[in-house]
Every structure is written in C-alpha cells, then in structure tokens.
Amino acid sequence: MIPGEFDYTRPGDLDAVLKVLKEREGEAKLLAGGHSLLPLLKFRLAAPAVLVDLRGVTGLDGISEEDGELRIGALATHRQIHEDPSLAGAYELLRDAAGGIGDPQIRNWGTIGGSCAHADPSADYPAVLIATMATVVCRSADGERVVPAREFFTDTFTTALEPNEMLTEVRFPRPGPRSGSSYTKIERRAGDFSTVGVAVQLSLAEDGSIADVGIGLTAVADSPFAATDAEAALRAASPDNDDALRRAGAAAAAQSSPTTDSHGPADYKRALVAELTVRAVKRAVERARSAR
Ligand code: FAD
C-alpha cells in the first residue's frame, strides 16, 4: 500500500512537461486527476522513476469550438464536461458519459486526458471517441500527431501514445444537420465502472433514414471498439424499423467478446449489448429529430 520511491516534479507549463518526458523517456508518468494512477502506485503495479504532476500546467482544460471541431483540453475534468452548457445538443453523448463516471469526487478530479491515456477497457470516454470519429492530439518535444480514436485505443490499458508524448487535446468533429447522439450504460451499483456501455452518434437523411452512424462499445472486449457490423446494418435503414434495430443490436453483440466476472456472466453482457444498442440508437434518433 506504500508506493516505491520516485522523483517528483511539478512543471509550470507544457514545454517543461514535454522536456521531462524527453529527458527521462520511459521512466516518467504524468499525474492528472490521480484516480487511476495513485492506486496503481500504491499497489506497485506502476513504478515510475519520476512523477510529473500536471496541476501546475494551465491552459489545457479548455472546451471550445474551432475549425468545425469541439476541442477539449486534456485536463478538463469529467465535471467540467458534464456541466458545460455549450455541449448541449450537438455533443449530448459527451455529457451523458461524463455525468455517469464514478462519483462526484471522481468527476471533480478525473480528467478526459487521464481517462483516455489510461485506456481502461471499461472506461466510458473511449466508446464516445470511437462513435464520434474523434481524434486525439499527442504532443512531444519534437512535434504533434493527431491520431484517429479508432486507431488510438490499441489494447487493454494500451494506446498509440509514445512514452515521450502527452495527450494534450481530444477533438470531436461538429455533427451535421439532423444529428443526434447518446451514451447508455449499465452499472452494477451507482459509481461502478460500466458493465456495458454503448455510444451512438448518427445523422438522418432528408427522407428520415439513417444516413450515417458510429457506434462505440466499452467493457465487452479487451479494449473499446467500433461495432462496425451494427453500423453497416443501420446505414440507410429506417430508424422506425424495429427489425433493423434489433439486427444491429444482434450484430453488436456478436462482435463483442465479454468475459464472465463480478459484473455478470458473458451471455448476460452480450444480451445487454444487444438491448443497449437498440436503446442508444433510439435515444440518438429522438435527439436528431428534435434537433431539426
Ligand atoms: P490519472 O490517474 O492521473 O492518470 C491515469 C494514467 O494516464 C496514468 O498512467 C497517467 O500517467 C496517464 N495520463 C494522465 N494524463 C495524461 C495525459 N494528458 N497524457 C498522457 N498520459 C496521461 N472511469 C470511467 O470511465 N467510468 C467510470 O464509471 C469510472 N468509475 C470510477 C470509479 C472509481 C472508484 C475510480 C477510482 C475511478 C473510476 N473511473 C471511471 C476512472 C476515472 O475516470 C479516472 O479519473 C480516469 O480513468 C483517469 O483520469 P485521471 O485524470 O484521474 O488520470
């Protein structure tokens, strides 16, 4: 329960953070909200030689729209995201997800950058990023890369981030007209990680059919993933065609590979994926219709 020894530094700006990551490549861990990292340190599952506290870095918690994208700084907390009125409407699923993470203490401290970098296979934001075709900005002292979310979450607790990089921003393309989104999760008890989580972002064509749709699933595989078969089943379908929605739910369940654990048996989770996919699509359609 007592972490091993490490050096501690609290840089005052991003350049200083990137300098440490370059000079101590592979030895450093960034500390954001600490809700995932501190338990790992205490159990000695992580033993960095240097801890880089991000609390002194300003200007990385902004939420703004620029060049047709919503840009959220890595240090924006779950609470900020949940409570930001500018996300109402176009980015509703982000507010759904942020408001359902953990408990108030987690939401006050935990950050979107920390959550995405940590890449817990049951975390909520990754499914949202995948559904919305978001991109992730990875910065090092040598420059910047913008990585599509569908390529960022590579495995359990593993991302495309290099050891000398910091995740600085997440960018969400602004949805077009007649768009709606939703994030739906089931948790065993309030404050638990998702047993299953489904994120949906869709747009309707002028004739009311589904023009495009992105679906991200969490907690039912080694890492969050795009339910591409369900997406294909829904494209051009009528959102009022219950059979099409059920086929999409079944396709999402078939693409999942949940494990039996304290949250429930694998078959139960697969059934939840099918049901929650239908519910999340219906909610997103309702929102798209009211956005007209
Ligand atoms: P930290 O713990 O500070 O860091 C996590 C990891 O990311 C570390 O390896 C750190 O080095 C790295 N890191 C942090 N920031 C960056 C960055 N900008 N660039 C690169 N690397 C970085 N999450 C959910 O999604 N849903 C839940 O329902 C949920 N419930 C929770 C319940 C409990 C009781 C707890 C303790 C956590 C829960 N979480 C949940 C996780 C929570 O959202 C964490 O806040 C989040 O996973 C990590 O964010 P953090 O800011 O605390 O990161």
Side-chain angles (χ1 to χ4, degrees):
M1 289 298 178
I2 298 173
E5 280 192 14
F6 49 79
D7 297 337
Y8 173 83
T9 175
R10 188 171 167 175
D13 59 39
L14 177 59
D15 285 345
V17 172
L18 300 178
K19 190 164 176 265
V20 181
L21 289 180
K22 183 170 184 157
E23 286 173 359
R24 312 262 324 241
E25 190 168 330
E27 293 184 357
K29 274 270 171 208
L30 302 179
L31 176 67
H35 274 295
S36 297
L37 183 55
L38 293 185
L40 290 178
L41 294 177
K42 288 185 173 186
F43 284 115
R44 300 200 180 201
L45 293 169
V50 57
L51 202 58
V52 185
D53 191 338
L54 297 175
R55 267 181 304 172
V57 180
T58 53
L60 277 185
D61 63 351
I63 301 178
S64 62
E65 280 205 86
E66 217 175 295
D67 297 333
E69 293 177 320
L70 174 74
R71 300 184 169 190
I72 303 186
L75 297 182
T77 61
H78 311 327
R79 179 178 173 182
Q80 263 177 276
I81 294 168
H82 177 54
E83 294 182 353
D84 193 313
S86 73
L87 303 191
Y91 305 103
E92 208 63 63
L93 82 173
L94 260 167
R95 299 197 337 155
D96 293 345
I101 294 177
D103 52 38
Q105 197 183 1
I106 309 289
R107 294 196 288 276
N108 283 338
W109 281 88
T111 64
I112 190 168
S115 178
C116 294
H118 190 58
D120 189 299
S122 300
D124 298 305
Y125 290 127
V128 170
L129 267 64
I130 285 168
T132 53
M133 303 287 179
T135 54
V136 180
V137 181
C138 309
R139 277 276 283 275
S140 74
D142 303 320
E144 180 177 293
R145 295 187 300 141
V146 181
V147 182
R150 291 188 178 208
E151 295 164 24
F152 182 76
F153 301 101
T154 52
D155 207 339
T156 310
F157 297 114
T158 309
T159 69
L161 272 171
E162 297 291 342
N164 64 345
E165 286 177 327
M166 174 175 167
L167 188 168
T168 53
E169 195 171 69
V170 184
R171 298 176 179 169
F172 300 86
R174 183 172 180 80
R178 297 181 297 276
S179 292
S181 65
S182 105
Y183 182 70
T184 305
K185 85 182 210 179
I186 292 276
E187 56 198 339
R188 206 176 42 149
R189 295 168 309 190
D192 275 0
F193 276 90
S194 294
T195 298
V196 173
V198 181
V200 172
Q201 170 78 55
L202 56 76
S203 61
L204 301 177
E206 284 195 8
D207 67 2
S209 62
I210 295 175
D212 203 4
V213 57
I215 301 178
L217 300 186
T218 193
V220 285
D222 291 343
S223 60
F225 67 96
T228 47
D229 294 345
E231 292 171 350
L234 285 171
R235 277 193 198 104
S238 161
D240 299 317
N241 179 344
D242 223 46
D243 286 344
L245 266 55
R246 295 277 155 208
R247 272 197 300 278
Q255 256 190 305
S256 307
S257 47
T259 51
T260 295
D261 59 17
S262 59
H263 292 264
D267 285 349
Y268 162 71
K269 293 184 188 178
R270 228 178 252 111
L272 272 184
V273 171
E275 179 58 32
L276 293 194
T277 300
V278 173
R279 288 188 200 177
V281 169
K282 284 186 173 172
R283 185 88 185 98
V285 168
E286 268 171 36
R287 286 173 169 171
R289 284 175 172 160
S290 65
R292 277 167 198 258

